[in-house]
Amino acid sequence: MGRLIEGQWVEDAYRYDEQGRFQREESRFRAWIEPNSTFAAEPDRYHLYVSLACPWAHRVLIARKLKGLESAVGLSVVHPLMRNQGWELRDDFPGATGDPILGARYLREIYTAAEPQATTRVSVPVLWDQQRRTVVNNESRELLRMFNHALAPIAEHDIDLAPPDRIEEVDATIDAIYEPINNGVYRCGFATTQAAYDEAAEGLFSALEQWDEVLGKRRYLCGDRLTEADICLYTTLIRFDAVYAVHFKCSQRPIREHPHLYGYLRELYQMPAFRETTDWAHIRHHYYLSHPFLNPTGIIARMPDLGLDRPHGREGLSAK
Ligand SMILES: N[C@@H](CCC(=O)N[C@@H](CS)C(=O)NCC(=O)O)C(=O)O
């Protein structure tokens, strides 16, 4: 892996604090699509770059499908392996598309096309504006909100994943699950000291227990309607037993032993927008082969039987 420093690619590891805790960095591009702004909602203008392996990019892919934005916003899928040159736009893996838009070989070329002297990590998801030839935004949570609200005028489906009467709760829930769960699995996996790992694992498994209890009473995280918060939790839960439990040492208790989280995960997986954007080959190849410091032999662990098509039994949960 690496990063751009003043437009030059520099091979580089992740950042840690002095206690060995993984430090996630802020996303660089943070503009918004808004009516009558530099970035207006227009079909065929924006292009989304994702990895099908990445839980952050997966959020935006699910929203794109749920909202019916697939014909309005184009998509490029990177190759699942991310090694010294960062994400590559090769098409020699099923589902990887290459880059029909800029003809880039490396994802970093999208970043330098926007800002030749950029100093930034080169991450997915990233939204490219074909009209202004620049990156709009590369922060998944903001892209998720933009796909939901700002791009609604060009969306085919009328579904609001952060409705006005729930938006504060949706934001508070996304905040609450981010550190212990979404980022927590990475903090377990990338910890470089036992203490940093123990701290992350403790936070992760107590948060999972807490949300398991909540989901015993509520159908979705914010009540009886699917929201952005569910998308944010799903993309971590679906990778958990297949990858994080082994590769990131999130081993204490699998999702399929949390009864309510497991039923909830099955329900979401059985929805087409979730299932059709979940690509096991990309997920498993990416994680097990892209972090040689964690898995030097590059062996891909066996897939457990997740039983995701079993009935979820959650229809009877009333709104609370
Ligand atoms: N905060 C960003 C995080 C995105 C992110 O870390 N994506 C990973 C893939 S799972 C990535 O592209 N990492 C490459 C790197 O950081 O060099 C977001 O939520 O969009």
Side-chain angles (χ1 to χ4, degrees), residues 59 74 93 99 144 149 200 208 212 260 276 282 289 307:
R59 295 170 163 188
F93 192 95
D99 181 25
L144 178 58
H149 282 160
L208 288 176
D212 188 56
H260 307 297
E276 290 166 16
H282 279 247
L289 298 176

PDB file of all heavy atoms in Angstrom, residues 59 74 93 99 144 149 200 208 212 260 276 282 289 307:
ATOM      1  N   ARG A  59     -21.193   0.453   1.225  1.00  0.00           N
ATOM      2  CA  ARG A  59     -22.309   1.291   1.677  1.00  0.00           C
ATOM      3  C   ARG A  59     -22.933   2.039   0.499  1.00  0.00           C
ATOM      4  O   ARG A  59     -24.146   2.111   0.347  1.00  0.00           O
ATOM      5  CB  ARG A  59     -21.792   2.374   2.641  1.00  0.00           C
ATOM      6  CG  ARG A  59     -21.220   1.865   3.938  1.00  0.00           C
ATOM      7  CD  ARG A  59     -20.545   3.020   4.665  1.00  0.00           C
ATOM      8  NE  ARG A  59     -20.325   2.694   6.068  1.00  0.00           N
ATOM      9  CZ  ARG A  59     -19.888   3.569   6.965  1.00  0.00           C
ATOM     10  NH1 ARG A  59     -19.613   4.812   6.601  1.00  0.00           N
ATOM     11  NH2 ARG A  59     -19.739   3.213   8.220  1.00  0.00           N
ATOM     12  N   GLY A  74     -22.456   6.087 -13.099  1.00  0.00           N
ATOM     13  CA  GLY A  74     -21.634   4.972 -13.589  1.00  0.00           C
ATOM     14  C   GLY A  74     -20.757   4.380 -12.492  1.00  0.00           C
ATOM     15  O   GLY A  74     -20.601   4.950 -11.406  1.00  0.00           O
ATOM     16  N   PHE A  93     -10.103  -9.973 -13.282  1.00  0.00           N
ATOM     17  CA  PHE A  93     -10.712 -10.709 -12.172  1.00  0.00           C
ATOM     18  C   PHE A  93     -12.215 -10.531 -12.387  1.00  0.00           C
ATOM     19  O   PHE A  93     -12.652  -9.405 -12.674  1.00  0.00           O
ATOM     20  CB  PHE A  93     -10.284 -10.103 -10.824  1.00  0.00           C
ATOM     21  CG  PHE A  93     -10.617 -10.958  -9.634  1.00  0.00           C
ATOM     22  CD1 PHE A  93      -9.671 -11.833  -9.100  1.00  0.00           C
ATOM     23  CD2 PHE A  93     -11.876 -10.903  -9.032  1.00  0.00           C
ATOM     24  CE1 PHE A  93      -9.968 -12.632  -8.003  1.00  0.00           C
ATOM     25  CE2 PHE A  93     -12.177 -11.709  -7.929  1.00  0.00           C
ATOM     26  CZ  PHE A  93     -11.224 -12.567  -7.418  1.00  0.00           C
ATOM     27  N   ASP A  99     -11.090   0.854 -16.170  1.00  0.00           N
ATOM     28  CA  ASP A  99     -11.577   2.233 -16.067  1.00  0.00           C
ATOM     29  C   ASP A  99     -11.958   2.810 -17.415  1.00  0.00           C
ATOM     30  O   ASP A  99     -11.136   3.414 -18.102  1.00  0.00           O
ATOM     31  CB  ASP A  99     -10.509   3.118 -15.415  1.00  0.00           C
ATOM     32  CG  ASP A  99     -11.003   4.545 -15.280  1.00  0.00           C
ATOM     33  OD1 ASP A  99     -12.234   4.746 -15.225  1.00  0.00           O
ATOM     34  OD2 ASP A  99     -10.166   5.455 -15.241  1.00  0.00           O
ATOM     35  N   LEU A 144     -22.967   8.287   0.993  1.00  0.00           N
ATOM     36  CA  LEU A 144     -24.223   7.592   1.282  1.00  0.00           C
ATOM     37  C   LEU A 144     -25.352   8.610   1.424  1.00  0.00           C
ATOM     38  O   LEU A 144     -26.428   8.462   0.825  1.00  0.00           O
ATOM     39  CB  LEU A 144     -24.028   6.788   2.578  1.00  0.00           C
ATOM     40  CG  LEU A 144     -25.181   5.991   3.150  1.00  0.00           C
ATOM     41  CD1 LEU A 144     -25.697   4.968   2.152  1.00  0.00           C
ATOM     42  CD2 LEU A 144     -24.729   5.259   4.437  1.00  0.00           C
ATOM     43  N   HIS A 149     -30.098  11.658  -0.499  1.00  0.00           N
ATOM     44  CA  HIS A 149     -30.843  12.921  -0.590  1.00  0.00           C
ATOM     45  C   HIS A 149     -30.530  13.716  -1.852  1.00  0.00           C
ATOM     46  O   HIS A 149     -31.414  13.999  -2.643  1.00  0.00           O
ATOM     47  CB  HIS A 149     -30.574  13.790   0.646  1.00  0.00           C
ATOM     48  CG  HIS A 149     -31.359  13.334   1.845  1.00  0.00           C
ATOM     49  ND1 HIS A 149     -31.008  13.671   3.128  1.00  0.00           N
ATOM     50  CD2 HIS A 149     -32.473  12.571   1.949  1.00  0.00           C
ATOM     51  CE1 HIS A 149     -31.879  13.124   3.975  1.00  0.00           C
ATOM     52  NE2 HIS A 149     -32.764  12.453   3.285  1.00  0.00           N
ATOM     53  N   ALA A 200      -9.525  -2.960  21.508  1.00  0.00           N
ATOM     54  CA  ALA A 200     -10.435  -2.924  20.355  1.00  0.00           C
ATOM     55  C   ALA A 200     -11.427  -4.092  20.420  1.00  0.00           C
ATOM     56  O   ALA A 200     -12.622  -3.926  20.146  1.00  0.00           O
ATOM     57  CB  ALA A 200      -9.628  -2.979  19.057  1.00  0.00           C
ATOM     58  N   LEU A 208     -21.343  -5.306  19.939  1.00  0.00           N
ATOM     59  CA  LEU A 208     -22.163  -6.291  19.218  1.00  0.00           C
ATOM     60  C   LEU A 208     -23.237  -6.860  20.137  1.00  0.00           C
ATOM     61  O   LEU A 208     -24.390  -7.045  19.735  1.00  0.00           O
ATOM     62  CB  LEU A 208     -21.284  -7.421  18.663  1.00  0.00           C
ATOM     63  CG  LEU A 208     -20.387  -7.048  17.473  1.00  0.00           C
ATOM     64  CD1 LEU A 208     -19.487  -8.224  17.089  1.00  0.00           C
ATOM     65  CD2 LEU A 208     -21.213  -6.599  16.262  1.00  0.00           C
ATOM     66  N   ASP A 212     -27.163  -6.501  19.556  1.00  0.00           N
ATOM     67  CA  ASP A 212     -27.917  -7.755  19.468  1.00  0.00           C
ATOM     68  C   ASP A 212     -29.191  -7.640  20.313  1.00  0.00           C
ATOM     69  O   ASP A 212     -30.279  -8.039  19.901  1.00  0.00           O
ATOM     70  CB  ASP A 212     -27.038  -8.918  19.953  1.00  0.00           C
ATOM     71  CG  ASP A 212     -27.679 -10.266  19.701  1.00  0.00           C
ATOM     72  OD1 ASP A 212     -28.013 -10.553  18.544  1.00  0.00           O
ATOM     73  OD2 ASP A 212     -27.857 -11.029  20.671  1.00  0.00           O
ATOM     74  N   HIS A 260     -30.011 -12.265  17.401  1.00  0.00           N
ATOM     75  CA  HIS A 260     -30.776 -11.200  16.733  1.00  0.00           C
ATOM     76  C   HIS A 260     -29.966 -10.552  15.609  1.00  0.00           C
ATOM     77  O   HIS A 260     -30.503 -10.259  14.549  1.00  0.00           O
ATOM     78  CB  HIS A 260     -31.253 -10.176  17.762  1.00  0.00           C
ATOM     79  CG  HIS A 260     -31.999 -10.837  18.876  1.00  0.00           C
ATOM     80  ND1 HIS A 260     -33.169 -11.520  18.652  1.00  0.00           N
ATOM     81  CD2 HIS A 260     -31.724 -10.970  20.203  1.00  0.00           C
ATOM     82  CE1 HIS A 260     -33.585 -12.050  19.805  1.00  0.00           C
ATOM     83  NE2 HIS A 260     -32.721 -11.725  20.752  1.00  0.00           N
ATOM     84  N   GLU A 276     -26.978  -8.684  -3.972  1.00  0.00           N
ATOM     85  CA  GLU A 276     -26.342  -8.528  -5.294  1.00  0.00           C
ATOM     86  C   GLU A 276     -25.102  -7.645  -5.264  1.00  0.00           C
ATOM     87  O   GLU A 276     -24.334  -7.614  -6.209  1.00  0.00           O
ATOM     88  CB  GLU A 276     -27.372  -7.984  -6.299  1.00  0.00           C
ATOM     89  CG  GLU A 276     -28.436  -9.019  -6.632  1.00  0.00           C
ATOM     90  CD  GLU A 276     -29.657  -8.443  -7.333  1.00  0.00           C
ATOM     91  OE1 GLU A 276     -29.572  -7.304  -7.829  1.00  0.00           O
ATOM     92  OE2 GLU A 276     -30.690  -9.136  -7.365  1.00  0.00           O
ATOM     93  N   HIS A 282     -14.406 -11.174  -4.244  1.00  0.00           N
ATOM     94  CA  HIS A 282     -13.642  -9.937  -4.037  1.00  0.00           C
ATOM     95  C   HIS A 282     -13.311  -9.759  -2.554  1.00  0.00           C
ATOM     96  O   HIS A 282     -12.189  -9.384  -2.197  1.00  0.00           O
ATOM     97  CB  HIS A 282     -14.435  -8.718  -4.552  1.00  0.00           C
ATOM     98  CG  HIS A 282     -14.336  -8.527  -6.033  1.00  0.00           C
ATOM     99  ND1 HIS A 282     -13.705  -7.468  -6.619  1.00  0.00           N
ATOM    100  CD2 HIS A 282     -14.783  -9.301  -7.056  1.00  0.00           C
ATOM    101  CE1 HIS A 282     -13.776  -7.577  -7.940  1.00  0.00           C
ATOM    102  NE2 HIS A 282     -14.430  -8.686  -8.229  1.00  0.00           N
ATOM    103  N   LEU A 289      -5.311 -11.570   0.899  1.00  0.00           N
ATOM    104  CA  LEU A 289      -4.114 -11.426   0.062  1.00  0.00           C
ATOM    105  C   LEU A 289      -3.523 -10.021   0.039  1.00  0.00           C
ATOM    106  O   LEU A 289      -2.448  -9.823  -0.506  1.00  0.00           O
ATOM    107  CB  LEU A 289      -4.433 -11.860  -1.377  1.00  0.00           C
ATOM    108  CG  LEU A 289      -4.858 -13.322  -1.526  1.00  0.00           C
ATOM    109  CD1 LEU A 289      -5.245 -13.624  -2.961  1.00  0.00           C
ATOM    110  CD2 LEU A 289      -3.750 -14.267  -1.075  1.00  0.00           C
ATOM    111  N   GLY A 307     -25.314 -19.875   6.198  1.00  0.00           N
ATOM    112  CA  GLY A 307     -26.765 -20.110   6.256  1.00  0.00           C
ATOM    113  C   GLY A 307     -27.585 -18.852   6.047  1.00  0.00           C
ATOM    114  O   GLY A 307     -28.643 -18.674   6.678  1.00  0.00           O
TER     115      GLY A 307
END
